[in-house]
Amino acid sequence: MMTKESLKIVYMGTPDFAVESLRALIEGGYNVVAVITMPDKPMGRHGSVLQPSPVKQYALEQGLKILQPANLKDPDFIEELRSLQADLQIVVAFRMLPEVVWNMPPLGTFNAHASLLPKYRGAAPINWAVINGDTETGITTFFLKHEIDTGDIIQQVRIPIEETDNVEIVHDKLMLLSGKLVTETVDNIIAGTVKAIPQDEIKDCDLTPAPKIFRDTCRINWNQTTKKVYDFIRGLSPYPAAWTTLNGKAVKIYEAEKVENSSIQKPGTIRTDGKTNMEIATADGFLNVKTLQLEGKKKMPISDLLRGFKLEENNFFV
């Protein structure tokens, strides 16, 4: 009979989000025979310093075997992976795997994805759930197959998104949740109780995508409603951060609050008391900016900005 101590697991992941699930497996006594993560990233002015991924840092602390292939189809890597004779592979926040990798273990490969699949397939599910003003999200475990994020669903767990949550808060909630769901999924695979459901059998299927976010994606459109701009800002805060321009220079906005029952002015119009308050007009009202960052400056509360920065008449954000 297979147990969590005898089941051989290969774990794949790279960022902070993936550390929690690996920690849950290690602290839970599961048999992780190797960790696969991205190659160390060149850092510094000349790229002379190599920065290991958060998953690698944790794996080193735990004395785990680490593989860092630049190419997941490399024959030497495939042979080394095969030699581990893993029963199961687990993927959390990694990259797309070739079939020769995900189809290797007898119990398959499952992924923990930070959305309620099939909604938000793609690279940035947490950001898009907040940007779109969703009131709930969750974690899904599913078996990998050819098309990204389309495999049969094993388990899902839901959490609410509060109206004041930014993407960092939701990320951290889901990160903790993923650790619990990953170990539960492994337990159910060991017990033989998994009944995976094809995604196309889910009723009222929402196929809203979650594409990768680029700099241009993050530009604020002040012609949208107050709620849409508010959700957009918190869906990109603190990283990569929503931005706009003032006098031709980029300004990142990290925190704002909706202003109720406000008059309507040209979107982007600024009104301020010059001391502690700065509001920006949207299509149907105003947003009160709380924290921002001028190009070339540090992130600061609006009161610090207004103390040393004088706004000219007719200034507005675009």
Side-chain angles (χ1 to χ4, degrees), residues 19-32:
V19 174
E20 187 60 36
S21 293
L22 179 57
R23 180 184 289 114
L25 289 165
I26 296 302
E27 293 182 357
Y30 296 83
N31 182 20
V32 178

Side-chain angles (χ1 to χ4, degrees), residues 139-246:
I139 297 283
T140 302
T141 52
F142 67 97
F143 286 115
L144 264 63
K145 68 177 194 179
H146 288 98
E147 295 80 14
I148 192 164
D149 298 337
T150 61
D152 295 355
I153 290 174
I154 308 168
Q155 289 180 245
Q156 281 188 336
V157 62
R158 298 168 180 263
I159 60 161
I161 301 176
E162 304 299 335
E163 198 188 15
T164 54
D165 285 349
N166 65 15
V167 75
E168 182 176 49
I169 292 168
V170 179
H171 170 282
D172 291 353
K173 288 179 186 176
L174 291 175
M175 182 172 65
L176 293 172
L177 203 60
S178 71
K180 295 176 184 176
L181 191 62
V182 162
T183 54
E184 281 180 21
T185 299
V186 174
D187 290 344
N188 290 332
I189 289 172
I190 291 170
T193 58
V194 168
K195 292 187 172 84
I197 302 168
Q199 292 190 34
D200 58 11
E201 289 183 10
I202 297 173
K203 293 180 180 178
D204 303 319
C205 186
D206 186 336
L207 295 177
T208 305
K212 188 173 181 179
I213 288 173
F214 298 95
R215 186 174 187 274
D216 285 349
T217 317
C218 302
R219 186 163 190 164
I220 298 169
N221 178 3
W222 296 106
N223 290 300
Q224 293 186 314
T225 65
T226 298
K227 176 166 173 29
K228 278 191 174 293
V229 179
Y230 171 76
D231 291 339
F232 187 78
I233 290 168
R234 66 193 183 99
L236 294 167
S237 179
Y239 182 83
W243 64 276
T244 183
T245 60
L246 179 65

Side-chain angles (χ1 to χ4, degrees), residues 265-284:
Q265 294 189 29
K266 178 183 175 182
T269 299
I270 298 167
R271 64 183 188 190
T272 177
D273 63 2
K275 297 176 182 177
T276 61
N277 194 68
M278 184 170 77
E279 296 173 355
I280 307 173
T282 65
D284 64 351

